[in-house]
Amino acid sequence: MEEIDLLQLELDECKRQLAATKSELERKYNFEQVLENANRAIAIIGFERDILWINKRAEQMVGYPLEEVKGKIVTDLLAGSETDRTNLIEAIKTARTGEVTSYENVIYSKDNRKIYVKTEVHPLYDLNKVIENICIYSTDITKEKEYLKTINENEKVYQHLLSTTSDIVYTLTIDGIITNVNKAWIKVTGYDKNETIGRSSLSFFHPNDVEKVIEARKNVLNGKMLSYSVEVRLISKTNETVWFNAICTPLYSDDKKIIGFTGISRDITEQKRIQLYYQLLSKNIRDLVFLIESNKSSIKYVSPSVVEIAGYDPEELIEKDPFDFCHPDDLEIVRAYRKSQLNNTAKPTDTVTFRFPKKDGGYTWLEMTAKIIYDESTDTLWAITSAKVADLRKMEEEKIFKELEEEKRLNHIKSSFLQFVSHEFKTPLSIIKGLCELMTLGIEDVEETKSALLLKDISNIENETEEMISLIEEVLLLEESESGRMHFAPKNVDILALIKKVSNRVSLKQHVSEISNVTIIGTPKQICADGKLLEITFLNLISNAFKYSAGCPLPTISIQFLDVELVVSIKDFGIGIPQASIDKLFSTFYRAENVNQIDGTGLGLSIVKKLVELHKGKITCASKEGKGTEMVVTLPY
Ligand code: ATP
Ligand code: MG
């Protein structure tokens, strides 16, 4: 009992000392300042939510001084549109039972600023441990709330992006098993999420690209690379190949270990196709194509054909001046061509041919066309040139030139030969002819029967010889006219007399008693011509008229003296000429099919045509087979 009393005494003493210390501290420091400086807003309210006291922090938070809020109902004073008033009412109820409640709410400051608060509501005991009032502790969490809100909004934007982007976004496990894909995946590949998630990403790649992806992931996993970017092909559900540029980065756990991958893949099929076309074109084009930045005179692109054409690596020509790749002697024409392009005077079909230096020191001929283009986006004047190797063409030209030279040489040989042969024949033939005449004279001494036979033979020899002489003369004439060595001496000629003379000769030769009928129209005039050549002309035409009309009425000749020209028509009623042959009559050695046994070489008319043309005249033929032929020669005076 004593001990208990003793203890009680000690306890009382302790209490007394404590109280003394407390009151001493209270006396010394005024505890209110401790409360006031607290980081949380503190308010003491009555059960009816009437404000009894607030600390400094609370004054700062809501913007009301203590004097202004005393006695006001806290929920009325600080509530606004987003405030939940029931929170506090419920919390007070709970506090009266001795429990503590905490909740988040929105209150409004004096200047109507919205404040997010985290609030704890405690019971406030008096000294007799009776709950008399309520104590509210509030922390301003507006900043955190707003931060969270932006994060939420960002998340929404991010999710929206993911579902609307045309790029494929995916996540994989560390073993490459697909754990998520966005809508673009479904759209591009045709596989829905069920058919995708849980499958190895490798199973969707083109077999030839699988190795590439495995290698890239390995490099990331063993730390050689932070991420990878590869161009790969995916095979869609409908078995189409789609090209992608796949960028993939690892996902890390909190302790910095790789736990999977995430990535984005962009459809580059179109890009690839264009790239392929470009490569196909650029690599295989035979022509030499240049892209030149014209204002700087600098080569920006040259087709790989330059390797084959001139032995350069295309890189060697980049940034060089295109005019350095032109033979000095051709610079002028190339510059002139460029100028005509620049001032728009060139035709699109215009080309320039110049020598392009080869790497080995030689030159190759190029035939080039160019187009000048102004590109607004880069403010650049481009020249696009395309060139073909012209060596072949040049060689072709040279070949033709050589052939022409050869032909000239051969022609010369031919005409010398013809002249030689003709003269060599003509002399002995003339001798034979002379001898025949002498023999005819000397035949008188021979007995009669023999002499008749001999005379006939001699006459035959004479005729054949004459034929040969006239053939040789024709050949020589033709050769002279073809080689341009024809002796042409025009003077005044009485054409009427000339034709009559020729006509008589032919009649005599043809053993026709009457001469052909010559009609004259207009007043006869003299003509300036080469009489010898005109004789040959009309001799041929009139001979033909007689030759091809044996047994028919005699040919007729008409001579018209018109104002500016002379028209001579030689008309016969003989075998005529087949329609198809008329055009070919004037070619050398041509004879129509219907001549049968009638002698001839086919040279006469070709000589006639040349002679008429030499006189600046013309000849036409009108004929009907079986009816007759009319040859009309027109000559200027
Ligand atoms: P030659 O060289 O001896 O004159 P040719 O009379 O046959 O021989 P051309 O005078 O050049 O040669 O005539 C060419 C061809 O034209 C003749 O072969 C003949 O078929 C045809 N021809 C020319 N004149 C007549 C004509 N008046 N009537 C029918 N056919 C003719
Ligand atoms: Mg003839």
Side-chain angles (χ1 to χ4, degrees):
M1 204 44 207
E2 262 181 37
E3 256 180 62
I4 295 172
D5 287 345
L6 219 65
L7 278 174
Q8 184 62 49
L9 272 175
E10 262 181 43
L11 191 69
D12 287 347
E13 178 54 22
C14 275
K15 271 188 182 171
R16 198 193 54 79
Q17 275 183 13
L18 201 67
T21 317
K22 195 181 158 213
S23 62
E24 195 188 316
L25 278 175
E26 270 175 349
R27 260 202 317 278
K28 209 171 172 184
Y29 297 118
N30 177 13
F31 271 87
E32 236 170 70
Q33 70 177 327
V34 180
L35 288 173
E36 284 193 346
N37 293 337
N39 206 15
R40 289 204 275 182
I42 302 171
I44 297 172
I45 58 167
F47 294 148
E48 299 308 320
R49 286 170 277 135
D50 47 322
I51 301 169
L52 303 173
W53 178 85
I54 61 171
N55 71 345
K56 277 264 157 7
R57 178 78 191 98
E59 282 183 339
Q60 285 160 5
M61 193 199 272
V62 296
Y64 295 103
L66 173 62
E67 306 77 61
E68 208 176 311
V69 297
K70 253 189 187 159
K72 300 255 169 72
I73 305 299
V74 66
T75 40
D76 292 346
L77 187 72
L78 301 179
S81 57
E82 286 179 45
T83 308
D84 183 353
R85 291 162 191 259
T86 56
N87 276 332
L88 186 59
I89 298 169
E90 288 304 313
I92 292 172
K93 277 187 200 160
T94 314
R96 291 179 79 168
T97 67
E99 297 287 319
V100 176
T101 312
S102 74
Y103 56 85
E104 282 177 15
N105 205 354
V106 177
I107 59 168
Y108 291 83
S109 67
K110 190 178 177 183
D111 56 4
N112 211 24
R113 195 166 41 85
K114 188 163 125 187
I115 307 164
Y116 288 89
V117 284
K118 191 174 167 74
T119 301
E120 270 177 35
V121 180
H122 288 251
L124 190 64
Y125 296 91
D126 69 2
L127 292 174
N128 300 318
K129 302 218 184 318
V130 177
I131 299 170
E132 255 196 357
N133 286 311
I134 305 291
C135 192
I136 306 174
Y137 303 87
S138 287
T139 314
D140 184 346
I141 55 163
T142 311
K143 276 200 182 120
E144 290 86 329
K145 276 282 169 191
E146 264 157 14
Y147 178 65
L148 270 178
K149 211 171 118 197
T150 36
I151 287 193
N152 271 336
E153 270 160 15
N154 283 346
E155 172 73 13
K156 267 188 214 155
V157 172
Y158 172 68
Q159 289 298 341
H160 179 72
L161 263 179
L162 271 190
S163 64
T164 53
T165 178
S166 58
D167 293 343
I168 292 175
V169 182
Y170 57 89
T171 52
L172 310 174
T173 66
I174 197 159
D175 305 315
I177 305 295
I178 301 174
T179 49
N180 206 358
V181 283
N182 67 342
K183 278 190 186 152
W185 164 270
I186 302 162
K187 207 167 148 196
V188 172
T189 64
Y191 290 106
D192 64 23
K193 278 197 173 187
N194 288 337
E195 293 166 307
T196 309
I197 292 170
R199 266 176 74 178
S200 163
S201 56
L202 297 179
S203 67
F204 294 99
F205 290 123
H206 187 287
N208 292 355
D209 294 339
V210 169
E211 219 25 67
K212 202 196 283 186
V213 178
I214 293 177
E215 190 61 30
R217 281 190 200 152
K218 219 190 273 171
N219 283 336
V220 172
L221 286 173
N222 63 25
K224 272 195 202 160
M225 280 158 66
L226 284 176
S227 65
Y228 67 81
S229 163
V230 282
E231 285 187 357
V232 285
R233 283 158 292 178
L234 282 180
I235 307 292
S236 78
K237 199 172 174 180
T238 53
N239 227 9
E240 268 164 275
T241 305
V242 193
W243 271 99
F244 278 96
N245 178 27
I247 299 168
C248 192
T249 50
L251 289 170
Y252 294 96
S253 64
D254 287 344
D255 54 348
K256 306 270 182 273
K257 280 195 184 120
I258 296 177
I259 49 167
F261 296 95
T262 184
I264 183 162
S265 294
R266 175 156 294 180
D267 185 345
I268 53 163
T269 314
E270 184 62 21
Q271 210 172 310
K272 271 277 166 188
R273 212 179 50 208
I274 292 170
Q275 203 176 326
L276 177 79
Y277 292 167
Y278 162 77
Q279 273 173 358
L280 273 176
L281 270 175
S282 142
K283 268 191 196 159
N284 300 304
I285 213 153
R286 287 262 159 98
D287 291 359
L288 187 55
V289 177
F290 279 92
L291 193 60
I292 298 160
E293 203 176 317
S294 200
N295 19 12
K296 287 190 190 155
S297 196
S298 149
I299 299 172
K300 295 291 171 195
Y301 167 85
V302 55
S303 57
S305 53
V306 75
V307 181
E308 203 178 311
I309 291 174
Y312 299 101
D313 185 318
E315 283 301 313
E316 291 177 75
L317 273 67
I318 303 299
E319 302 296 337
K320 297 271 168 66
D321 185 342
F323 288 102
D324 289 346
F325 292 88
C326 176
H327 190 288
D329 292 352
D330 300 336
L331 261 176
E332 206 175 314
I333 54 160
V334 175
R335 283 193 197 282
Y337 177 76
R338 180 177 181 267
K339 205 171 160 195
S340 72
Q341 290 286 336
L342 281 174
N343 60 24
N344 253 329
T345 53
K347 283 197 265 20
T349 48
D350 282 357
T351 61
V352 61
T353 306
F354 65 99
R355 278 159 287 179
F356 185 81
K358 294 204 228 178
K359 197 174 178 182
D360 66 11
Y363 283 92
T364 186
W365 280 97
L366 290 185
E367 186 184 6
M368 187 180 84
T369 62
K371 191 166 178 167
I372 304 268
I373 287 171
Y374 176 68
D375 177 39
E376 272 178 25
S377 64
T378 52
D379 193 22
T380 312
L381 198 62
W382 292 103
I384 298 158
T385 71
S386 167
K388 273 188 176 44
V389 174
D391 294 355
L392 263 178
R393 218 204 59 192
K394 279 269 158 192
M395 275 158 60
E396 203 72 23
E397 275 176 15
E398 258 165 44
K399 201 174 131 202
I400 291 171
F401 183 73
K402 271 189 192 148
E403 278 172 0
L404 275 174
E405 287 291 298
E406 183 65 11
E407 201 177 301
K408 264 192 206 164
R409 202 177 64 88
L410 286 176
N411 268 339
H412 181 72
I413 294 174
K414 188 184 91 184
S415 61
S416 321
F417 176 76
L418 278 177
Q419 277 177 47
F420 168 77
V421 171
S422 308
H423 286 295
E424 289 306 296
F425 277 126
K426 225 176 134 181
T427 322
L429 282 171
S430 304
I431 295 171
I432 294 172
K433 202 182 152 201
L435 287 175
C436 284
E437 276 163 23
L438 281 177
M439 280 166 80
T440 317
L441 291 175
I443 219 106
E444 284 151 17
D445 305 338
V446 185
E447 62 182 89
E448 225 170 285
T449 42
K450 269 191 182 168
S451 78
L453 275 174
L454 276 173
L455 278 174
K456 203 179 161 223
D457 287 345
I458 292 169
S459 161
N460 276 343
I461 295 173
E462 235 175 339
N463 281 342
E464 292 296 324
T465 315
E466 238 167 63
E467 282 289 318
M468 278 184 82
I469 291 172
S470 82
L471 172 65
I472 287 168
E473 274 170 352
E474 275 185 338
V475 168
L476 273 175
L477 209 60
L478 197 66
E479 196 282 315
E480 273 174 19
S481 72
E482 273 182 353
S483 64
R485 290 186 295 104
M486 175 81 78
H487 186 67
F488 182 55
K491 48 182 177 237
N492 280 344
V493 176
D494 180 350
I495 192 77
L496 204 59
L498 185 143
I499 289 176
K500 280 187 174 160
K501 181 177 141 197
V502 173
S503 171
N504 275 338
R505 249 174 74 188
V506 177
S507 309
L508 248 156
K509 211 182 159 198
Q510 298 287 329
H511 310 292
V512 189
S513 50
E514 318 151 58
I515 52 163
S516 47
N517 178 16
V518 180
T519 318
I520 300 156
I521 303 161
T523 322
K525 279 189 213 174
Q526 293 217 321
I527 173 171
C528 180
D530 186 315
K532 227 181 109 200
L533 300 183
L534 281 192
E535 259 186 61
I536 297 168
T537 304
F538 290 111
L539 188 67
N540 262 298
L541 292 174
I542 299 169
S543 307
N544 278 353
F546 276 95
K547 192 162 76 166
Y548 298 108
S549 66
C552 301
L554 280 185
T556 61
I557 300 171
S558 95
I559 309 169
Q560 287 185 69
F561 292 95
L562 299 181
D563 281 349
V564 286
E565 58 194 12
L566 169 81
V567 181
V568 183
S569 148
I570 297 123
K571 195 170 176 184
D572 68 63
F573 307 94
I575 62 169
I577 303 162
Q579 187 62 33
S581 300
I582 292 183
D583 285 346
K584 304 171 197 161
L585 295 182
F586 301 100
S587 326
T588 36
F589 299 109
Y590 183 80
R591 305 199 72 211
E593 274 173 17
N594 62 337
V595 294
N596 296 324
Q597 305 296 322
I598 307 169
D599 274 347
T601 54
L603 282 177
L605 283 184
S606 49
I607 293 170
V608 166
K609 189 164 162 56
K610 291 226 161 67
L611 297 184
V612 170
E613 280 167 1
L614 199 65
H615 283 87
K616 304 253 180 313
K618 60 178 198 269
I619 177 164
T620 56
C621 166
S623 180
K624 235 186 175 146
E625 206 179 347
K627 288 260 158 37
T629 304
E630 184 180 13
M631 292 284 185
V632 180
V633 176
T634 311
L635 294 168
Y637 291 113

